[in-house]
Amino acid sequence: MSAPGATTYREALRAAHREALQRDPRVFVMGEDVGRYGGAYAVTRGLLAEFGPERIRDTPLSESVFVGAGIGAAIGGMRPIVEVMTCNFALLALDQIVNNAATLRHMSGGQLGVPLVIRMATGAGRQVAAQHSHSFEGWFAHIPGIKVLVPATLEDARGMLWTALQDPDPVLICEHATLYNASGELAPNAGAVEIDRAAIRRAGQDLSVITYGGSLAKVLAAAAELDREGISAEVLDLRTLRPLDDRTILESVRRTRRALIVDEGWRSGSISAEISARLMESGFFDLDAPVARVCSLEVPVPYPHHLEEACLPQVEGIVRAAKESLGHG
Amino acid sequence: MSAEPQTETREHALELWRQMRRIRLFEEKCAELYSAQKIRGFLHLYIGEEAVAVGTLQAITADDAIVAAYREHGHALVRGVPMPALMAELYGKAEGCSGGRGGSMHFFDAKRRFYGGYAIVAGGLPVAVGLALADKLRGLSRVTACYFGDGSIAEGEFHESMNLASLWQLPVLFICENNFYAMGTALDRHQAQLDLVLKARGYGVAAQSVDGMDVRAVERAAREAADRVRQGKAPFFLECKTYRFRAHSMYDPELYREKSEVEAWKKRDPVLTYAASLRQSGVLDADTERNLEQSLSRELDDAVRFAEQGTWEPETSLTRFVHAEKEAPQ
């Protein structure tokens, strides 16, 4: 199944689920259409036949109760993986995620941990209009008490789930919806990955382009184009939005002296704003140019293809912003 | 059914009174300490509703779980969370049952399976459903008792929880403490259907209503309900009709109800009426009453002293307990 070249992001996620279900009898999956339908994004396809309805549980369209039930089950000794179809729908479960999952440990003085994993799709690019296209991982990254993972590569899609399940606290995994079909090579022995560090996906010396998730491929394409023009961009994949790996970000910017952040979220109050602020606080004297950002335009994501494309960060805009940062505008 | 012989023993009859009286005294002391500004924040008193916690928790064993809302002092006391730890929590002291970080609305005692303390109306219900799901998946024959007020019935989480608990046949004993007010909004101003058991039955959940001012009736109904949950491994909805004699919280000027209404309900005070019946039947004699009152009073004094002498958590540890601490795994 995982022969080189034959693996997709979706299959990598599925392999991660299968492994988790095999390794730990406390693990079970619950969410809308994860069973018979096979998962809205087909991540869990086949798992029902393999593991049965006790462990692959279809739920009603009741985000708040099945996320809350995941919290209760986690407190009660299980290791639930809750799939919320998209981060847009996760808003219906915000009370449980923010007021309960993220706060119970603190409010109980350390007595109650919530070892829960919540997976959801995020992001635009498939012409499914505003209510299925938004990127809220930056919002979730605002909240103390949870961790927010954004796997951009096959290795991370394969490896982050198991690491998340080992975490004694709630972990959100936000998977960009356009990545599920991404394919590439994945080592047959690929397994758990650490989630504490950002990764340099491409080394460079002229500027640091900081991104994550669905924007990584665009940033790498932009870096290749910049390279053809003699500009060497370093590409940093955050991998985890909370907690942010400040050290890797600052070290990179210290080397390149320029920073461009690419984030599919809206600019105002975004994770890119947070990273920019941290660079101001801790890296100001290392910078030779203002921190630059490429974000989504501040509109609900529209349906028509050309408008949706115009709304989102694109390779051309990233290249342009990089050049401006270098004074090549 | 299983309760009948037990409720008839003198010891048990007295114990029901002692537990209700204990909550009443604790709550009255809380009001006093709040006025003295020893207790801050929101404080929701349970005075008038004691028969519900005392009656229902007779049917809940140490193995079972409890999920409560923000008016949960009584439940924690009956559960056996030590009174000093509760009082210290109200003071915000490090010795509190939640390390002082929760306060009145967020009592927790994981060892005693007392899982809160939820201040978002109906926010505890999905968690209770999940605790019951964990028991079911682990093959454990346990009940999760979940307390909430009539205000919760208007929340989506109530309906989602009823549906899922019924669909998956999860062992949750839903206990609605219907005190006829959601904060200051009377039941007939927040519900289109006033018969609350119909709501549960609409989801295929067995349901019953009981006089929440009569501790024996509550206990009887709760034992039957808990037996059904345990044996049928299915949820049950128990509505306890009760009344809070005090305001919603200490901030509430009570503009929404007539004093005469409150006075009428006070005639049915669950602690006083039960004590009167015990005196009449000779179970509660003057000596016994005096001894019990003295011992409760001592316990309360000790709890206040413990809270007074408790320590403030140093600010240096303020950011603890956001995530698990590696050196102290739970």
Side-chain angles (χ1 to χ4, degrees):
Chain A
M1 290 294 277
S2 56
T7 307
T8 63
Y9 186 88
R10 171 183 294 113
E11 286 164 352
L13 285 167
R14 190 183 302 141
H17 281 73
R18 184 178 291 116
E19 178 202 43
L21 287 154
Q22 285 166 346
R23 280 171 81 162
D24 188 343
R26 299 173 302 172
V27 170
F28 70 100
V29 182
M30 126 171 105
E32 293 148 339
D33 274 335
V34 296
R36 284 174 186 245
Y37 188 94
Y41 298 93
V43 168
T44 50
R45 187 163 295 169
L47 297 182
L48 175 64
E50 202 173 334
F51 296 98
E54 286 287 287
R55 300 188 72 196
I56 310 295
R57 306 183 76 90
D58 280 321
T59 64
L61 308 183
S62 307
E63 287 80 1
S64 204
V65 72
F66 71 70
V67 170
I71 294 168
I75 292 169
M78 301 299 288
R79 288 292 180 276
I81 302 169
V82 173
E83 180 179 302
V84 181
M85 232 178 260
T86 92
C87 68
N88 303 267
F89 308 163
L91 303 191
L92 286 118
L94 266 186
D95 168 49
Q96 291 298 327
I97 297 171
V98 179
N99 288 317
N100 286 349
T103 53
L104 282 175
R105 182 181 294 280
H106 190 80
M107 282 199 312
S108 67
Q111 292 177 82
L112 283 193
V114 183
L116 168 68
V117 174
I118 305 174
R119 291 180 40 247
M120 58 186 82
T122 183
R126 296 170 308 130
Q127 281 198 262
V128 288
Q131 292 181 352
H132 284 77
S133 296
H134 290 148
S135 295
F136 293 136
E137 58 277 0
W139 284 13
F140 286 113
H142 176 66
I143 302 159
I146 57 179
K147 290 178 183 158
V148 180
L149 313 185
V150 280
T153 65
L154 294 182
E155 286 76 15
D156 281 355
R158 176 68 182 83
M160 280 184 168
L161 182 68
W162 183 250
T163 316
L165 283 165
Q166 304 308 300
D167 201 293
D169 292 305
V171 179
L172 266 56
I173 304 181
C174 299
E175 302 152 6
H176 199 283
T178 60
L179 287 176
Y180 290 114
N181 286 329
S183 66
E185 291 187 13
L186 183 66
N189 63 350
V193 296
E194 51 134 82
I195 56 173
D196 298 333
R197 302 303 305 271
I200 307 289
R201 298 295 184 199
R202 185 189 200 280
Q205 56 252 336
D206 294 335
L207 85 161
S208 300
V209 189
I210 299 157
T211 192
Y212 67 90
S215 298
L216 177 63
K218 293 174 181 173
V219 168
L220 287 169
E225 201 172 314
L226 290 164
D227 193 49
R228 284 192 286 276
E229 300 186 33
I231 297 169
S232 165
E234 177 148 298
V235 178
L236 195 149
D237 174 7
L238 293 169
R239 300 178 67 241
T240 299
L241 300 190
R242 186 178 190 99
L244 277 172
D245 177 7
D246 292 322
R247 199 174 86 194
T248 302
I249 296 170
L250 285 165
E251 282 173 358
S252 173
V253 172
R254 221 160 265 150
R255 280 194 303 275
T256 64
R257 310 193 72 83
R258 284 179 168 79
L260 166 65
I261 306 161
V262 180
D263 170 16
E264 200 176 302
W266 293 301
R267 179 187 301 255
S268 304
S270 62
I271 192 76
S272 67
E274 176 61 30
I275 296 164
S276 174
R278 291 191 192 198
L279 285 169
M280 289 302 106
E281 288 162 351
S282 309
F284 182 78
F285 296 107
D286 297 315
L287 288 165
D288 285 344
V291 173
R293 287 191 280 165
V294 177
C295 299
S296 285
L297 296 189
E298 307 231 348
V299 293
V301 176
Y303 161 69
H305 178 67
H306 69 294
L307 293 182
E308 186 183 40
E309 291 289 295
C311 195
L312 306 176
Q314 299 296 352
V315 175
E316 194 185 23
I318 298 166
V319 168
R320 192 166 52 239
K323 286 181 177 172
E324 279 169 14
S325 175
L326 284 151
H328 296 218
Chain B
M1 279 174 264
S2 57
E4 289 301 338
Q6 213 185 342
T7 49
E8 295 315 307
T9 69
R10 179 173 185 269
E11 289 70 26
H12 186 68
L14 282 174
E15 179 61 13
L16 295 179
W17 176 76
R18 193 188 73 83
Q19 290 185 2
M20 287 198 291
R21 186 75 187 131
R22 184 166 174 258
I23 298 173
R24 178 69 56 92
L25 289 171
F26 182 81
E27 295 281 77
E28 285 172 347
K29 178 59 80 176
C30 286
E32 188 187 316
L33 292 166
Y34 193 87
S35 301
Q37 302 198 352
K38 297 284 188 180
I39 299 173
R40 310 302 298 262
F42 286 132
L43 179 69
H44 308 89
L45 298 177
Y46 199 55
I47 292 171
E49 305 187 23
E50 295 91 341
V52 179
V54 172
T56 53
L57 285 170
Q58 306 307 314
I60 297 303
T61 73
D63 257 1
D64 298 330
I66 296 167
V67 172
Y70 52 82
R71 199 183 300 283
E72 86 285 30
H73 300 176
H75 312 81
L77 282 168
V78 182
R79 180 52 163 194
V81 187
M83 193 187 281
L86 298 182
M87 195 57 91
E89 186 60 34
L90 293 170
Y91 270 65
K93 296 285 180 77
E95 291 79 6
C97 64
S98 305
R101 293 183 179 224
S104 168
M105 301 183 285
H106 306 297
F107 284 174
F108 291 92
D109 189 336
K111 271 206 307 284
R112 291 180 176 83
R113 304 205 76 214
F114 190 85
Y115 294 122
Y118 294 82
I120 308 286
V121 170
L125 275 76
V127 177
V129 168
L131 282 161
L133 173 61
D135 287 341
K136 186 182 171 109
L137 289 170
R138 295 172 65 191
L140 301 169
S141 183
R142 307 197 288 201
V143 172
T144 298
C146 178
Y147 293 86
F148 51 93
D150 51 293
S152 293
I153 308 273
E155 296 277 2
E157 284 184 321
F158 167 81
H159 298 274
E160 293 188 23
S161 297
M162 285 295 134
N163 182 53
L164 196 66
S166 180
L167 185 70
W168 288 356
Q169 293 289 284
L170 301 175
V172 187
L173 176 52
F174 292 103
I175 299 162
C176 177
E177 305 183 302
N178 178 8
N179 64 19
F180 297 94
Y181 287 92
M183 277 188 70
T185 304
L187 188 69
D188 60 5
R189 292 177 59 236
H190 74 78
Q191 287 300 308
Q193 169 55 263
L194 300 181
D195 187 347
L196 302 185
V197 298
L198 292 181
K199 313 257 185 191
R201 288 181 187 149
Y203 294 103
V205 176
Q208 194 200 331
S209 185
V210 67
D211 177 2
M213 304 306 262
D214 178 346
V215 69
R216 287 171 186 266
V218 173
E219 178 181 9
R220 211 156 38 233
R223 286 190 186 272
E224 282 182 23
D227 281 351
R228 287 183 66 166
V229 172
R230 242 180 269 280
Q231 282 154 25
K233 306 208 181 323
F236 193 97
F237 176 92
L238 182 64
E239 179 201 19
C240 302
K241 290 183 176 167
T242 184
Y243 199 81
R244 59 171 160 72
F245 297 164
R246 307 281 299 225
H248 164 71
S249 77
M250 297 299 279
Y251 284 110
D252 167 12
E254 281 193 272
L255 303 173
Y256 48 84
R257 63 184 188 185
E258 300 294 332
K259 287 234 164 20
S260 58
E261 181 186 297
V262 182
E263 292 311 311
W265 275 91
K266 278 187 177 172
K267 293 198 173 70
R268 304 200 49 230
D269 185 317
V271 188
L272 297 183
T273 56
Y274 184 60
S277 81
L278 291 181
R279 283 189 209 102
Q280 201 169 19
S281 58
V283 172
L284 185 61
D285 56 60
D287 277 353
T288 308
E289 188 165 352
R290 196 180 319 109
N291 289 340
L292 280 170
E293 287 282 357
Q294 279 173 359
S295 107
L296 289 176
S297 174
R298 269 197 304 275
E299 185 189 16
L300 193 56
D301 289 346
D302 288 348
V304 174
R305 196 172 310 115
F306 180 81
E308 288 281 348
Q309 291 169 357
T311 49
W312 299 113
E313 191 180 350
E315 278 182 33
T316 48
S317 63
L318 170 62
T319 54
R320 290 180 68 196
F321 310 132
V322 176
H323 293 290
E325 293 173 1
K326 287 193 180 78
E327 58 280 11
Q330 53 144 15

